[in-house]
C-alpha cells in the first residue's frame, strides 16, 4: 500500500474519492483501507439473490454504514458522505447506458460521470486504487497519487476531462495486467467490441 499517497486523506473529516475497477480480488482494498486507517463508504450493488448477498457481505465484512446502494438513493448517500467528511469508494470501469461518451481504448465508451461531478462539487482529491494479484493468493495494493478535477467554469468540459483521465488510468491498468480485469459488460457498441475483443483496437 502506497502510504505516502494516502497520508493527506488519513485525518478524519477529510473527504476524498477512491476509484477502482474490477481487477483481481478488488474487494480486498476495502479491508486493507480499514486496517490502514482510511476506511471509506462504498457504492455497492447488491447481488440479486438475497442469500448470496448476505454471504458476500459477511465475507467482505460490509456493514450498512459502509455501503451506499447504486441509483438515486446512492447519489444522495454519496453526497451526504462527502459532505460529512467521509471517504468514498467507487468502481468505475463498467458501462453506464445513460452516462457520457468518454474515450476508452481509442473509442468512445458510455461512462458514469458521477465521480467527476462529486469531485467538482466538493473540490476533494481523487485517488486511483487497484488490487494486483502477484502470485497465487498474494496481492499488492497500489494507490496512485491524488489529483483534483480541474474547475474552469465549463462544467461539461471539466467533467469530460476528469473522466478521460480516469478512463486513461483504467486503460493503463488493463494494458499492464489484462488477465486480471473482469470485463462484465460491453463498454462499446458491438462492432467496436468485436474489434477490441480481437485485439485490433
Amino acid at each position: 500500500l502506497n502510504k505516502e499517497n494516502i497520508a493527506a486523506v488519513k485525518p478524519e473529516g477529510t473527504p476524498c474519492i477512491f476509484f477502482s475497477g474490477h481487477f483481481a480480488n478488488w474487494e480486498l482494498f476495502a479491508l486493507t483501507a480499514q486496517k490502514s486507517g482510511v476506511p471509506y463508504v462504498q457504492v455497492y450493488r447488491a447481488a440479486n439473490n438475497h442469500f448470496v448477498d448476505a454471504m458476500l457481505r459477511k465475507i467482505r465484512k460490509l456493514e450498512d454504514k459502509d455501503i451506499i446502494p447504486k441509483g438515486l438513493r446512492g447519489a444522495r448517500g454519496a453526497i451526504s458522505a462527502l459532505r460529512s467528511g467521509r471517504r468514498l469508494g467507487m468502481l468505475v470501469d463498467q458501462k453506464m447506458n445513460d452516462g457520457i461518451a468518454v474515450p476508452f481504448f481509442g473509442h468512445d465508451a458510455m461512462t458514469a460521470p458521477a465521480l467527476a461531478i462529486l469531485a467538482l462539487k466538493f473540490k476533494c482529491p481523487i485517488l486511483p486504487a487497484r488490487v494486483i494479484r502477484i502470485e497465487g493468493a498474494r496481492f499488492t495494493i497500489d494507490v496512485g497519487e491524488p489529483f483534483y478535477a480541474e474547475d474552469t467554469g465549463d462544467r461539461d468540459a471539466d467533467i469530460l476531462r476528469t473522466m478521460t483521465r480516469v478512463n486513461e488510468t483504467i486503460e493503463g491498468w488493463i494494458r499492464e495486467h489484462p488477465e486480471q480485469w473482469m470485463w462484465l459488460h460491453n463498454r462499446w457498441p458491438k462492432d467496436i467490441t468485436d474489434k477490441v475483443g480481437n485485439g485490433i483496437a
Side-chain angles (χ1 to χ4, degrees):
L1 183 66
N2 314 66
K3 294 183 179 179
E4 66 277 8
N5 288 338
I6 63 172
V9 299
K10 199 163 187 178
E12 288 294 330
T14 305
C16 74
I17 301 174
F18 289 110
F19 78 84
S20 191
H22 295 80
F23 292 92
N25 296 55
W26 63 86
E27 305 94 337
L28 293 176
F29 180 64
L31 298 175
T32 304
Q34 288 179 7
K35 292 182 178 180
S36 300
V38 287
Y40 61 88
V41 58
Q42 60 183 286
V43 178
Y44 174 79
R45 182 191 180 283
N48 293 335
N49 185 301
H50 297 301
F51 296 104
V52 171
D53 188 61
M55 179 182 66
L56 291 175
R57 287 184 55 172
K58 183 177 181 180
I59 292 172
R60 298 173 184 176
K61 299 181 180 179
L62 291 177
E63 300 180 14
D64 288 342
K65 64 181 179 59
D66 300 320
I67 59 177
I68 297 172
K70 293 185 69 174
L72 180 58
R73 183 179 162 202
R76 293 169 179 164
I79 291 172
S80 176
L82 292 172
R83 182 173 287 149
S84 62
R86 299 188 70 184
R87 308 171 195 90
L88 177 68
M90 308 177 75
L91 296 178
V92 295
D93 59 332
Q94 297 299 322
K95 180 180 181 180
M96 182 177 182
N97 289 326
D98 56 350
I100 60 173
V102 181
F104 189 54
F105 282 97
H107 303 281
D108 282 345
M110 299 308 290
T111 302
L115 185 157
I117 294 171
L118 291 169
L120 284 166
K121 179 178 179 63
F122 291 97
K123 303 185 186 305
C124 62
I126 302 167
L127 291 90
R130 60 172 169 161
V131 176
I132 305 172
R133 185 182 302 111
I134 53 177
E135 183 181 358
R138 296 177 62 224
F139 306 87
T140 185
I141 307 294
D142 177 39
V143 179
E145 293 186 5
F147 65 93
Y148 289 81
E150 184 180 2
D151 187 354
T152 67
D154 186 335
R155 185 173 182 273
D156 290 342
D158 293 338
I159 290 172
L160 177 60
R161 184 183 307 107
T162 300
M163 294 314 303
T164 296
R165 180 167 180 175
V166 169
N167 274 8
E168 287 175 348
T169 299
I170 293 173
E171 181 179 330
W173 292 345
I174 295 169
R175 289 184 184 277
E176 187 176 349
H177 294 289
E179 77 286 357
Q180 297 192 23
W181 183 43
M182 189 176 182
W183 182 5
L184 296 175
H185 305 289
N186 290 339
R187 289 301 308 274
W188 308 271
K190 188 177 186 306
D191 58 331
I192 296 175
T193 297
D194 290 342
K195 292 180 181 180
V196 175
N198 291 326
I200 299 174

